[in-house]
Amino acid sequence: MTKLLSVRLVAILVGLGFALIALYSFVVGAYAAITEEAAGHVPYEKPEDIAYSFDGPFGKWDIQQLQRGFKVYDEVCAACHSLKYVAFRDLEQIGYDEGQVKAFAASKQVPGIDPNTGEATMRPGLPTDYFPSPYPNNVAAAAANNNAIPPDLSLMTKARGDGTNYVASLLAGYAEPSAELLEEHPEAAPGPGLYHNPYFPNLNLAMAPPLTTAGQVTYDDGTEATVQQMSEDVAAFLTWTAEPTLVARKQTGWPVLIFLLFATVLAYMSKKQIWAAAKRKGD
C-alpha cells in the first residue's frame, strides 16, 4: 500500500510539474506578445487560406499543379534559389517519364571532376544528381542579392508556419505600403534595396517581386498563368519537395487507425472474458 501511494504521489508531482511548465510558457509568451505590441511592433498579415488538393485526411496530389509549379520554379525561382535536397530523378514522382528526366538533367550544369586532370569542372547533369545551386558559394550569392543570401527552397514550406499558404501569399502579396500604415508605423517604409510585403514578418524583404505579370510562364496544360495562379502552383510544388510522402503517409494512416481500433476492441473483449472467468473462480 505504501509503495502504491508513493507511485501515485510521484505521478501527481510529475503532472504538476508539467502543468507549471506549460503555465510558465503561456505567461512568458503572452508577456512577450504584449510588450512587443506595446513597443510598436509593425503588424503583418496572416497568410491567405487557400484550398489545395492535398489538404485534409483524404488529400491527393494534383499532378498537373505540381508540374505547373515545377515550371514556375525552373523558369523563375531557380535563378536565385536552390533545391539541394531534390534529385532530378525525383521528378518521376510528379508524372515525368525517364526520358524527360534525363533530358532535363542534361540541360543543367552540375559540379564534377575532370577524369584526366582531377580538377573541378562542370558537366551535364544526370538523373541521380541533385538540383544545383545558382551560385558557386554564399559570398557570390550575397553579392548578387544586396547582401542577402537566397535560402534553399527544398524544405521551405516545412520551415515556415502554415508554409504552403505563406509561400503563395508572399509571392502574390507585394504591394506599396498604405498611407495609414506609414503614418502609424513610419519604420515600415522599405529602405534601399528592400520591397514591401505585408506577409513578411518585418514587412520588408530583399527579394524583389519574382512574379510580376500574367503569362510570365506558359503552362503546357493551357492554364492561365496569373500571378495568383503561379504563386499557388509553385507553393504546391514546394510542399511536395518538402514532404513528397505526404499523401502516402495519409493513405497509410487510415489502415493503421482502423487496425488500432480493432486491436483495442479485441483487447477490451479479451480482458472482459479473462477477468470474468477469474471473478467466477473467486466467487
Side-chain angles (χ1 to χ4, degrees):
M1 177 65 81
T2 303
K3 185 177 181 180
L4 180 60
L5 289 175
S6 299
V7 171
R8 289 181 175 177
L9 180 60
V10 170
I12 292 173
L13 291 176
V14 171
L16 182 61
F18 278 115
L20 290 175
I21 292 173
L23 179 61
Y24 173 78
S25 301
F26 173 78
V27 171
V28 170
Y31 175 78
I34 292 172
T35 54
E36 187 177 65
E37 185 175 352
H41 176 70
V42 180
Y44 61 93
E45 299 290 336
K46 292 183 178 180
E48 298 292 333
D49 188 11
I50 303 169
Y52 289 94
S53 64
F54 48 81
D55 289 338
F58 299 102
K60 295 182 179 180
W61 296 120
D62 181 341
I63 297 300
Q64 286 190 319
Q65 183 176 49
L66 296 185
Q67 291 186 359
R68 293 196 303 267
F70 165 63
K71 190 161 189 177
V72 174
Y73 167 78
D74 182 49
E75 296 186 12
V76 180
C77 308
C80 298
H81 297 276
S82 59
L83 282 180
K84 64 181 180 181
Y85 295 117
V86 182
F88 294 127
R89 62 183 175 184
D90 293 335
L91 296 175
E92 293 185 25
Q93 299 178 29
I94 60 172
Y96 293 102
D97 60 37
E98 184 178 352
Q100 290 174 309
V101 171
K102 285 184 177 180
F104 177 76
S107 70
K108 304 298 181 181
Q109 292 291 307
V110 300
I113 301 295
D114 189 319
N116 299 317
T117 64
E119 296 180 352
T121 184
M122 299 299 288
R123 60 170 175 81
L126 299 172
T128 53
D129 290 318
Y130 286 75
F131 279 72
S133 171
Y135 304 103
N137 51 59
N138 286 342
V139 175
N145 293 278
N146 195 28
N147 291 322
I149 300 174
D152 179 79
L153 297 182
S154 305
L155 305 175
M156 183 57 65
T157 59
K158 297 288 287 184
R160 299 290 185 270
D162 197 12
T164 308
N165 287 328
Y166 170 78
V167 170
S169 299
L170 181 79
L171 292 176
Y174 285 88
E176 292 296 324
S178 65
E180 293 79 5
L181 176 65
L182 293 179
E183 182 178 356
E184 186 174 355
H185 298 282
E187 67 276 17
L194 297 178
Y195 302 86
H196 181 76
N197 193 304
Y199 298 101
F200 194 68
N202 66 8
L203 299 185
N204 298 299
L205 69 165
M207 181 176 72
L211 303 174
T212 56
T213 57
Q216 190 171 341
V217 172
T218 301
Y219 286 141
D220 297 331
D221 63 2
T223 300
E224 183 181 0
T226 63
V227 171
Q228 183 65 38
Q229 184 68 56
M230 291 186 289
S231 301
E232 293 180 16
D233 290 342
V234 76
F237 171 71
L238 294 178
T239 300
W240 171 78
T241 65
E243 195 172 3
T245 60
L246 173 65
V247 170
R249 178 169 55 81
K250 291 180 179 181
Q251 293 174 344
T252 303
W254 284 109
V256 171
L257 287 176
I258 293 173
F259 169 78
L260 291 175
L261 180 61
F262 174 75
T264 301
V265 173
L266 186 63
Y268 176 76
M269 295 175 64
S270 299
K271 175 257 183 187
K272 293 286 288 184
Q273 184 175 2
I274 291 172
W275 282 102
K279 185 177 181 180
R280 287 196 300 269
K281 186 176 180 180
D283 293 340

